[in-house]
Amino acid sequence: MSVITPLQALPIEELRQRSSTKWRRYPAEVLPLFVAETDFPMADSITRVLARAVQLGDTGYTPPDPGIRDAYAGFARRRFGWTVDPSRIRTTCDVMMGVVELLRKVTQPGDRVIVTPPVYPPFYECIPEAGAVVERVPLIENESGWHLDLPGIEAALAGGARAVLLCNPHNPTGTVHSRETLAALADLAAGFGATVISDEIHAPLVHPGILFTPFLDASPAAARIGYTVASASKAYNLAGLKCALMITASDDTARVVRSLPDEVEWRTGLFGALAAVAAFAEESDPWLDALRATLDDNRRLLAELLAEHIPGARYRVPDAGFLAWVDLSTLGWGDNPAVKILRDAKVALHLGPLFGEEGKGHVRINFGCSPAVLREAVERIGALVRT
């Protein structure tokens, strides 16, 4: 078995030359560990394809099939053991736009859509944008981790909820739901004639020893009533290039996606499509494996740093991704401790309450950075504990 060399983050002096939100929202003395951008060099295969496009002036409209359907099907087969029919994939601008368009098709104005907080803040915005109403069924935490509250979801469906907006892997907890859990969710939804839309944007970043199950592959019922929305943007740091995939696994759901207006697909960015094709190609797998090795190291390093410098912090090492959900409520820094941390430690973290009521006293930390930056950030916060 070959040894995987972890990916090295770029020097912070170079990162500060970037013009993205992570590096422009706050002044230079602030360490930015908030928004879900990572600090690593782009995969060579993606750099080459984008550089060639710029050289050619290839900046026009996205073609009907830029190759992303076949590229993603190959990626899903290699990485997840999942067989995807390329003809059942359409693209759009980004994952949340795909979610909104699907919700408009599968719900009526005023219908309730279940979310499982603490959860990605745009979930609370995209559901009303589609004309529906948010229904909260919080995750349950116990000694073994975070879990869907299946009885709570059943009660909400029995009460008339028409869809579940699932986050798998879950943001911010990093939870990867088991095949059994997903199959049970699918059975519940099917039994009440409801739909599940699964945001699987963090799926490429599942950590070693964790088995990821795509929702549509969880069971025949999941394939029949589910939709998956995915993108290369989180794993390969391509959020600014605008390309997401809407994936189905049955004739009925495929017809729904095909019925979306052509403009939904026209919103796909050409650079996003070109970059995604390169990202999902087998050539990029070694880069992805190197990134996963780095994130695996960092998620464990963060546990050590918190224990050393902020012993009151409560953190469960995530199953996937580069985001850490940390409970700081014992420190007495109020419902939104990220405010004090930004002001006094000059470290920007994501605001816990934005993820729902369950986020009070919490912060989300982006550990997709160098160990040195992660260490300095935690040390700065730890200094507040000692004062």
Side-chain angles (χ1 to χ4, degrees):
M1 180 182 296
S2 61
V3 176
I4 298 171
T5 302
L7 198 62
Q8 299 298 308
L10 295 169
I12 196 165
E13 297 78 14
E14 187 172 340
L15 290 165
R16 291 198 184 280
Q17 298 175 41
R18 289 181 173 180
S19 57
S20 64
T21 291
K22 184 173 185 179
W23 298 100
R24 287 292 180 266
R25 182 166 180 180
Y26 297 107
E29 66 267 22
V30 173
L31 288 178
L33 279 70
F34 66 113
V35 72
E37 299 179 26
T38 54
D39 296 353
F40 304 100
M42 185 172 285
D44 288 343
S45 56
I46 300 174
T47 300
R48 286 195 303 271
V49 103
L50 293 177
R52 180 60 173 161
V54 171
Q55 183 181 38
L56 290 171
D58 189 10
T59 54
Y61 293 107
T62 308
D65 183 9
I68 192 169
R69 299 169 188 165
D70 288 331
Y72 184 80
F75 180 86
R77 183 173 57 252
R78 294 192 313 275
R79 308 299 295 201
F80 310 139
W82 178 29
T83 300
V84 176
D85 182 346
S87 70
R88 289 176 170 167
I89 297 175
R90 287 191 78 183
T91 63
T92 190
C93 180
D94 57 36
V95 163
M96 285 299 100
M97 184 173 289
V99 167
V100 170
E101 296 298 339
L102 290 171
L103 284 173
R104 285 174 174 155
K105 283 290 185 180
V106 302
T107 63
Q108 297 295 319
D111 280 351
R112 300 196 307 281
V113 177
I114 296 166
V115 299
T116 56
V119 76
Y120 185 49
F123 277 27
Y124 300 107
E125 300 172 5
C126 72
I127 292 171
E129 183 181 347
V133 177
V134 173
E135 175 145 352
R136 302 168 68 260
V137 181
L139 294 179
I140 296 172
E141 186 183 17
N142 58 28
E143 292 181 359
S144 64
W146 296 89
H147 307 277
L148 295 177
D149 178 1
L150 292 173
I153 291 172
E154 181 176 17
L157 291 169
R162 301 304 304 146
V164 179
L165 181 50
L166 179 69
C167 198
N168 183 43
H170 191 86
N171 175 3
T173 67
T175 301
V176 173
H177 300 299
S178 69
R179 178 179 295 274
E180 293 75 19
T181 295
L182 297 174
L185 174 63
D187 286 343
L188 287 175
F192 288 100
T195 298
V196 176
I197 299 173
S198 185
D199 170 359
E200 299 183 0
I201 198 169
H202 292 276
L205 297 178
V206 171
H207 293 301
I210 306 297
L211 178 64
F212 173 74
T213 301
F215 179 75
L216 297 181
D217 196 41
S219 70
R224 193 168 62 251
I225 56 91
Y227 301 82
T228 288
V229 189
S231 175
S233 61
K234 287 295 184 285
Y236 300 89
N237 207 43
L238 304 175
L241 298 186
K242 298 304 177 187
C243 177
L245 298 84
M246 299 173 290
I247 307 163
T248 56
S250 75
D251 291 341
D252 288 343
T253 53
R255 275 193 292 272
V256 170
V257 173
R258 283 197 299 270
S259 73
L260 291 170
D262 289 344
E263 185 60 32
V264 172
E265 192 164 309
W266 274 110
R267 294 168 186 160
T268 307
L270 178 58
F271 275 23
L274 294 172
V277 171
F280 291 135
E282 190 168 4
E283 179 185 5
S284 295
D285 283 358
W287 183 94
L288 180 60
D289 290 336
L291 173 62
R292 291 171 66 240
T294 298
L295 299 180
D296 184 27
D297 289 343
N298 281 2
R299 66 178 179 143
R300 301 177 192 280
L301 173 62
L302 179 57
E304 297 171 6
L305 293 171
L306 291 172
E308 178 181 358
H309 297 284
I310 316 173
R314 194 167 68 89
Y315 161 62
R316 188 183 295 278
V317 176
D319 297 334
F322 50 85
L323 305 172
W325 188 236
V326 182
D327 182 356
L328 301 178
S329 56
T330 63
L331 302 181
W333 293 351
D335 288 345
N336 201 358
V339 173
K340 175 180 174 63
I341 291 169
L342 176 60
R343 183 186 66 232
D344 297 339
K346 299 297 185 287
V347 177
L349 306 177
H350 211 317
L351 310 178
L354 293 181
F355 295 80
E357 287 289 317
E358 297 73 17
K360 289 181 177 179
H362 291 68
V363 295
R364 194 190 73 178
I365 301 175
N366 177 347
F367 57 84
C369 57
S370 72
V373 166
L374 188 59
R375 181 176 297 277
E376 181 178 348
V378 176
E379 287 177 351
R380 287 189 190 186
I381 300 169
L384 302 182
V385 178
R386 296 189 294 272
T387 57

mmCIF file of all heavy atoms in Angstrom, residues 161-199:
data_model
loop_
_atom_site.group_PDB
_atom_site.id
_atom_site.type_symbol
_atom_site.label_atom_id
_atom_site.label_comp_id
_atom_site.label_asym_id
_atom_site.label_seq_id
_atom_site.Cartn_x
_atom_site.Cartn_y
_atom_site.Cartn_z
ATOM 1 N N ALA A 161 -45.761 17.570 6.916
ATOM 2 C CA ALA A 161 -44.548 18.017 6.220
ATOM 3 C C ALA A 161 -44.396 17.249 4.908
ATOM 4 O O ALA A 161 -44.659 16.041 4.854
ATOM 5 C CB ALA A 161 -43.324 17.824 7.101
ATOM 6 N N ARG A 162 -43.934 17.939 3.869
ATOM 7 C CA ARG A 162 -43.937 17.333 2.532
ATOM 8 C C ARG A 162 -42.546 16.965 2.026
ATOM 9 O O ARG A 162 -42.419 16.314 0.984
ATOM 10 C CB ARG A 162 -44.584 18.309 1.528
ATOM 11 C CG ARG A 162 -46.011 18.685 1.863
ATOM 12 C CD ARG A 162 -46.914 17.466 2.000
ATOM 13 N NE ARG A 162 -46.882 16.650 0.786
ATOM 14 C CZ ARG A 162 -46.987 15.333 0.768
ATOM 15 N NH1 ARG A 162 -47.091 14.659 1.908
ATOM 16 N NH2 ARG A 162 -46.960 14.685 -0.378
ATOM 17 N N ALA A 163 -41.514 17.412 2.723
ATOM 18 C CA ALA A 163 -40.164 17.112 2.243
ATOM 19 C C ALA A 163 -39.189 17.180 3.413
ATOM 20 O O ALA A 163 -39.466 17.794 4.446
ATOM 21 C CB ALA A 163 -39.735 18.085 1.144
ATOM 22 N N VAL A 164 -38.045 16.516 3.225
ATOM 23 C CA VAL A 164 -36.926 16.584 4.166
ATOM 24 C C VAL A 164 -35.732 17.125 3.397
ATOM 25 O O VAL A 164 -35.383 16.600 2.331
ATOM 26 C CB VAL A 164 -36.583 15.200 4.744
ATOM 27 C CG1 VAL A 164 -35.398 15.305 5.713
ATOM 28 C CG2 VAL A 164 -37.788 14.571 5.422
ATOM 29 N N LEU A 165 -35.114 18.172 3.931
ATOM 30 C CA LEU A 165 -33.869 18.687 3.360
ATOM 31 C C LEU A 165 -32.740 18.143 4.221
ATOM 32 O O LEU A 165 -32.507 18.591 5.347
ATOM 33 C CB LEU A 165 -33.879 20.215 3.332
ATOM 34 C CG LEU A 165 -32.647 20.901 2.733
ATOM 35 C CD1 LEU A 165 -32.279 20.310 1.377
ATOM 36 C CD2 LEU A 165 -32.876 22.405 2.633
ATOM 37 N N LEU A 166 -32.057 17.155 3.678
ATOM 38 C CA LEU A 166 -31.036 16.405 4.406
ATOM 39 C C LEU A 166 -29.652 16.978 4.100
ATOM 40 O O LEU A 166 -29.382 17.393 2.977
ATOM 41 C CB LEU A 166 -31.097 14.939 3.967
ATOM 42 C CG LEU A 166 -30.092 13.962 4.582
ATOM 43 C CD1 LEU A 166 -30.397 13.739 6.059
ATOM 44 C CD2 LEU A 166 -30.126 12.644 3.813
ATOM 45 N N CYS A 167 -28.782 16.955 5.095
ATOM 46 C CA CYS A 167 -27.385 17.355 4.907
ATOM 47 C C CYS A 167 -26.534 16.137 5.235
ATOM 48 O O CYS A 167 -26.449 15.729 6.398
ATOM 49 C CB CYS A 167 -27.062 18.524 5.842
ATOM 50 S SG CYS A 167 -25.589 19.454 5.408
ATOM 51 N N ASN A 168 -25.917 15.531 4.227
ATOM 52 C CA ASN A 168 -25.171 14.288 4.405
ATOM 53 C C ASN A 168 -23.958 14.254 3.480
ATOM 54 O O ASN A 168 -24.132 14.129 2.269
ATOM 55 C CB ASN A 168 -26.069 13.072 4.126
ATOM 56 C CG ASN A 168 -25.345 11.754 4.373
ATOM 57 O OD1 ASN A 168 -24.643 11.601 5.357
ATOM 58 N ND2 ASN A 168 -25.513 10.805 3.470
ATOM 59 N N PRO A 169 -22.735 14.395 4.042
ATOM 60 C CA PRO A 169 -22.369 14.593 5.433
ATOM 61 C C PRO A 169 -22.927 15.909 5.996
ATOM 62 O O PRO A 169 -23.081 16.881 5.269
ATOM 63 C CB PRO A 169 -20.835 14.626 5.413
ATOM 64 C CG PRO A 169 -20.462 13.882 4.174
ATOM 65 C CD PRO A 169 -21.537 14.223 3.187
ATOM 66 N N HIS A 170 -23.170 15.881 7.306
ATOM 67 C CA HIS A 170 -23.874 16.983 7.940
ATOM 68 C C HIS A 170 -22.933 18.149 8.228
ATOM 69 O O HIS A 170 -21.823 17.963 8.720
ATOM 70 C CB HIS A 170 -24.500 16.495 9.240
ATOM 71 C CG HIS A 170 -25.465 17.458 9.846
ATOM 72 N ND1 HIS A 170 -26.793 17.491 9.485
ATOM 73 C CD2 HIS A 170 -25.301 18.442 10.759
ATOM 74 C CE1 HIS A 170 -27.409 18.436 10.173
ATOM 75 N NE2 HIS A 170 -26.520 19.033 10.954
ATOM 76 N N ASN A 171 -23.401 19.323 7.916
ATOM 77 C CA ASN A 171 -22.709 20.576 8.230
ATOM 78 C C ASN A 171 -23.560 21.297 9.276
ATOM 79 O O ASN A 171 -24.727 21.588 8.993
ATOM 80 C CB ASN A 171 -22.592 21.417 6.959
ATOM 81 C CG ASN A 171 -22.005 22.793 7.178
ATOM 82 O OD1 ASN A 171 -21.605 23.159 8.270
ATOM 83 N ND2 ASN A 171 -21.967 23.578 6.100
ATOM 84 N N PRO A 172 -23.058 21.516 10.508
ATOM 85 C CA PRO A 172 -21.649 21.631 10.894
ATOM 86 C C PRO A 172 -21.062 20.463 11.670
ATOM 87 O O PRO A 172 -19.882 20.522 12.038
ATOM 88 C CB PRO A 172 -21.692 22.850 11.820
ATOM 89 C CG PRO A 172 -22.976 22.665 12.566
ATOM 90 C CD PRO A 172 -23.944 22.104 11.542
ATOM 91 N N THR A 173 -21.813 19.417 11.987
ATOM 92 C CA THR A 173 -21.291 18.399 12.904
ATOM 93 C C THR A 173 -20.309 17.441 12.235
ATOM 94 O O THR A 173 -19.577 16.729 12.933
ATOM 95 C CB THR A 173 -22.429 17.576 13.517
ATOM 96 O OG1 THR A 173 -23.053 16.786 12.490
ATOM 97 C CG2 THR A 173 -23.463 18.472 14.198
ATOM 98 N N GLY A 174 -20.307 17.374 10.903
ATOM 99 C CA GLY A 174 -19.443 16.426 10.203
ATOM 100 C C GLY A 174 -19.927 14.994 10.271
ATOM 101 O O GLY A 174 -19.190 14.060 9.966
ATOM 102 N N THR A 175 -21.189 14.801 10.634
ATOM 103 C CA THR A 175 -21.759 13.460 10.766
ATOM 104 C C THR A 175 -22.035 12.837 9.399
ATOM 105 O O THR A 175 -22.585 13.484 8.515
ATOM 106 C CB THR A 175 -23.081 13.525 11.558
ATOM 107 O OG1 THR A 175 -22.816 14.074 12.846
ATOM 108 C CG2 THR A 175 -23.714 12.155 11.698
ATOM 109 N N VAL A 176 -21.664 11.576 9.246
ATOM 110 C CA VAL A 176 -22.018 10.792 8.061
ATOM 111 C C VAL A 176 -23.081 9.792 8.500
ATOM 112 O O VAL A 176 -22.816 8.908 9.312
ATOM 113 C CB VAL A 176 -20.790 10.064 7.488
ATOM 114 C CG1 VAL A 176 -21.201 9.123 6.354
ATOM 115 C CG2 VAL A 176 -19.770 11.083 6.978
ATOM 116 N N HIS A 177 -24.285 9.943 7.974
ATOM 117 C CA HIS A 177 -25.381 9.064 8.379
ATOM 118 C C HIS A 177 -25.199 7.671 7.781
ATOM 119 O O HIS A 177 -24.766 7.520 6.635
ATOM 120 C CB HIS A 177 -26.720 9.659 7.929
ATOM 121 C CG HIS A 177 -26.997 11.007 8.520
ATOM 122 N ND1 HIS A 177 -27.105 11.204 9.876
ATOM 123 C CD2 HIS A 177 -27.174 12.228 7.940
ATOM 124 C CE1 HIS A 177 -27.355 12.487 10.114
ATOM 125 N NE2 HIS A 177 -27.401 13.121 8.964
ATOM 126 N N SER A 178 -25.549 6.662 8.543
ATOM 127 C CA SER A 178 -25.361 5.285 8.105
ATOM 128 C C SER A 178 -26.379 4.905 7.034
ATOM 129 O O SER A 178 -27.429 5.538 6.879
ATOM 130 C CB SER A 178 -25.522 4.332 9.299
ATOM 131 O OG SER A 178 -26.872 4.305 9.731
ATOM 132 N N ARG A 179 -26.058 3.840 6.308
ATOM 133 C CA ARG A 179 -26.987 3.322 5.308
ATOM 134 C C ARG A 179 -28.323 2.959 5.937
ATOM 135 O O ARG A 179 -29.392 3.235 5.379
ATOM 136 C CB ARG A 179 -26.374 2.094 4.608
ATOM 137 C CG ARG A 179 -27.298 1.452 3.563
ATOM 138 C CD ARG A 179 -26.624 0.268 2.886
ATOM 139 N NE ARG A 179 -25.459 0.696 2.116
ATOM 140 C CZ ARG A 179 -25.509 1.124 0.858
ATOM 141 N NH1 ARG A 179 -26.684 1.188 0.222
ATOM 142 N NH2 ARG A 179 -24.417 1.470 0.220
ATOM 143 N N GLU A 180 -28.280 2.352 7.114
ATOM 144 C CA GLU A 180 -29.504 1.937 7.788
ATOM 145 C C GLU A 180 -30.373 3.138 8.142
ATOM 146 O O GLU A 180 -31.601 3.115 7.975
ATOM 147 C CB GLU A 180 -29.154 1.144 9.047
ATOM 148 C CG GLU A 180 -28.498 -0.200 8.790
ATOM 149 C CD GLU A 180 -27.038 -0.095 8.362
ATOM 150 O OE1 GLU A 180 -26.400 0.970 8.599
ATOM 151 O OE2 GLU A 180 -26.525 -1.072 7.774
ATOM 152 N N THR A 181 -29.740 4.191 8.635
ATOM 153 C CA THR A 181 -30.487 5.404 8.980
ATOM 154 C C THR A 181 -31.114 6.030 7.744
ATOM 155 O O THR A 181 -32.282 6.440 7.758
ATOM 156 C CB THR A 181 -29.566 6.417 9.674
ATOM 157 O OG1 THR A 181 -29.137 5.881 10.929
ATOM 158 C CG2 THR A 181 -30.276 7.742 9.912
ATOM 159 N N LEU A 182 -30.349 6.114 6.673
ATOM 160 C CA LEU A 182 -30.857 6.713 5.443
ATOM 161 C C LEU A 182 -31.995 5.878 4.858
ATOM 162 O O LEU A 182 -32.989 6.434 4.363
ATOM 163 C CB LEU A 182 -29.730 6.865 4.424
ATOM 164 C CG LEU A 182 -28.591 7.804 4.832
ATOM 165 C CD1 LEU A 182 -27.475 7.765 3.803
ATOM 166 C CD2 LEU A 182 -29.097 9.237 5.011
ATOM 167 N N ALA A 183 -31.868 4.556 4.919
ATOM 168 C CA ALA A 183 -32.940 3.693 4.417
ATOM 169 C C ALA A 183 -34.201 3.872 5.254
ATOM 170 O O ALA A 183 -35.328 3.896 4.720
ATOM 171 C CB ALA A 183 -32.485 2.243 4.421
ATOM 172 N N ALA A 184 -34.028 4.012 6.566
ATOM 173 C CA ALA A 184 -35.192 4.229 7.433
ATOM 174 C C ALA A 184 -35.854 5.566 7.128
ATOM 175 O O ALA A 184 -37.089 5.675 7.102
ATOM 176 C CB ALA A 184 -34.763 4.161 8.900
ATOM 177 N N LEU A 185 -35.041 6.601 6.884
ATOM 178 C CA LEU A 185 -35.590 7.906 6.508
ATOM 179 C C LEU A 185 -36.364 7.795 5.199
ATOM 180 O O LEU A 185 -37.466 8.355 5.063
ATOM 181 C CB LEU A 185 -34.455 8.914 6.370
ATOM 182 C CG LEU A 185 -34.846 10.296 5.836
ATOM 183 C CD1 LEU A 185 -35.802 11.006 6.790
ATOM 184 C CD2 LEU A 185 -33.597 11.153 5.591
ATOM 185 N N ALA A 186 -35.804 7.077 4.235
ATOM 186 C CA ALA A 186 -36.481 6.915 2.951
ATOM 187 C C ALA A 186 -37.817 6.199 3.114
ATOM 188 O O ALA A 186 -38.823 6.584 2.492
ATOM 189 C CB ALA A 186 -35.579 6.141 1.990
ATOM 190 N N ASP A 187 -37.852 5.172 3.951
ATOM 191 C CA ASP A 187 -39.114 4.457 4.187
ATOM 192 C C ASP A 187 -40.168 5.380 4.789
ATOM 193 O O ASP A 187 -41.349 5.337 4.407
ATOM 194 C CB ASP A 187 -38.874 3.267 5.108
ATOM 195 C CG ASP A 187 -38.159 2.117 4.416
ATOM 196 O OD1 ASP A 187 -38.129 2.096 3.171
ATOM 197 O OD2 ASP A 187 -37.610 1.248 5.131
ATOM 198 N N LEU A 188 -39.747 6.219 5.741
ATOM 199 C CA LEU A 188 -40.687 7.159 6.353
ATOM 200 C C LEU A 188 -41.235 8.119 5.305
ATOM 201 O O LEU A 188 -42.451 8.339 5.215
ATOM 202 C CB LEU A 188 -39.999 7.944 7.469
ATOM 203 C CG LEU A 188 -39.693 7.193 8.754
ATOM 204 C CD1 LEU A 188 -38.902 8.091 9.710
ATOM 205 C CD2 LEU A 188 -40.976 6.724 9.426
ATOM 206 N N ALA A 189 -40.337 8.714 4.519
ATOM 207 C CA ALA A 189 -40.776 9.677 3.513
ATOM 208 C C ALA A 189 -41.693 9.014 2.495
ATOM 209 O O ALA A 189 -42.751 9.567 2.131
ATOM 210 C CB ALA A 189 -39.565 10.305 2.823
ATOM 211 N N ALA A 190 -41.320 7.834 2.041
ATOM 212 C CA ALA A 190 -42.147 7.137 1.051
ATOM 213 C C ALA A 190 -43.520 6.816 1.628
ATOM 214 O O ALA A 190 -44.551 6.927 0.932
ATOM 215 C CB ALA A 190 -41.442 5.858 0.605
ATOM 216 N N GLY A 191 -43.555 6.442 2.887
ATOM 217 C CA GLY A 191 -44.827 6.098 3.508
ATOM 218 C C GLY A 191 -45.795 7.259 3.596
ATOM 219 O O GLY A 191 -47.019 7.059 3.588
ATOM 220 N N PHE A 192 -45.269 8.473 3.648
ATOM 221 C CA PHE A 192 -46.125 9.663 3.730
ATOM 222 C C PHE A 192 -46.181 10.429 2.409
ATOM 223 O O PHE A 192 -46.709 11.538 2.351
ATOM 224 C CB PHE A 192 -45.627 10.592 4.841
ATOM 225 C CG PHE A 192 -45.894 10.074 6.223
ATOM 226 C CD1 PHE A 192 -44.883 9.449 6.944
ATOM 227 C CD2 PHE A 192 -47.149 10.184 6.793
ATOM 228 C CE1 PHE A 192 -45.117 8.959 8.219
ATOM 229 C CE2 PHE A 192 -47.397 9.695 8.077
ATOM 230 C CZ PHE A 192 -46.384 9.081 8.781
ATOM 231 N N GLY A 193 -45.646 9.827 1.327
ATOM 232 C CA GLY A 193 -45.668 10.480 0.033
ATOM 233 C C GLY A 193 -44.822 11.743 -0.014
ATOM 234 O O GLY A 193 -45.125 12.677 -0.769
ATOM 235 N N ALA A 194 -43.754 11.771 0.774
ATOM 236 C CA ALA A 194 -42.890 12.947 0.849
ATOM 237 C C ALA A 194 -41.602 12.716 0.067
ATOM 238 O O ALA A 194 -41.328 11.616 -0.427
ATOM 239 C CB ALA A 194 -42.578 13.279 2.308
ATOM 240 N N THR A 195 -40.815 13.764 -0.022
ATOM 241 C CA THR A 195 -39.579 13.779 -0.811
ATOM 242 C C THR A 195 -38.393 14.046 0.104
ATOM 243 O O THR A 195 -38.523 14.753 1.106
ATOM 244 C CB THR A 195 -39.646 14.896 -1.867
ATOM 245 O OG1 THR A 195 -40.734 14.628 -2.754
ATOM 246 C CG2 THR A 195 -38.370 14.992 -2.666
ATOM 247 N N VAL A 196 -37.232 13.486 -0.236
ATOM 248 C CA VAL A 196 -35.980 13.817 0.445
ATOM 249 C C VAL A 196 -35.029 14.428 -0.573
ATOM 250 O O VAL A 196 -34.793 13.855 -1.640
ATOM 251 C CB VAL A 196 -35.327 12.582 1.095
ATOM 252 C CG1 VAL A 196 -33.973 12.950 1.714
ATOM 253 C CG2 VAL A 196 -36.248 11.979 2.150
ATOM 254 N N ILE A 197 -34.514 15.601 -0.253
ATOM 255 C CA ILE A 197 -33.465 16.243 -1.059
ATOM 256 C C ILE A 197 -32.200 16.216 -0.214
ATOM 257 O O ILE A 197 -32.164 16.758 0.891
ATOM 258 C CB ILE A 197 -33.839 17.678 -1.428
ATOM 259 C CG1 ILE A 197 -35.124 17.702 -2.259
ATOM 260 C CG2 ILE A 197 -32.691 18.352 -2.187
ATOM 261 C CD1 ILE A 197 -35.656 19.097 -2.536
ATOM 262 N N SER A 198 -31.159 15.582 -0.726
ATOM 263 C CA SER A 198 -29.934 15.366 0.031
ATOM 264 C C SER A 198 -28.802 16.229 -0.503
ATOM 265 O O SER A 198 -28.380 16.079 -1.651
ATOM 266 C CB SER A 198 -29.528 13.893 -0.024
ATOM 267 O OG SER A 198 -28.403 13.641 0.786
ATOM 268 N N ASP A 199 -28.314 17.135 0.336
ATOM 269 C CA ASP A 199 -27.147 17.962 0.019
ATOM 270 C C ASP A 199 -25.908 17.143 0.376
ATOM 271 O O ASP A 199 -25.624 16.912 1.558
ATOM 272 C CB ASP A 199 -27.226 19.255 0.830
ATOM 273 C CG ASP A 199 -25.951 20.093 0.764
ATOM 274 O OD1 ASP A 199 -24.979 19.674 0.104
ATOM 275 O OD2 ASP A 199 -25.929 21.178 1.393
#
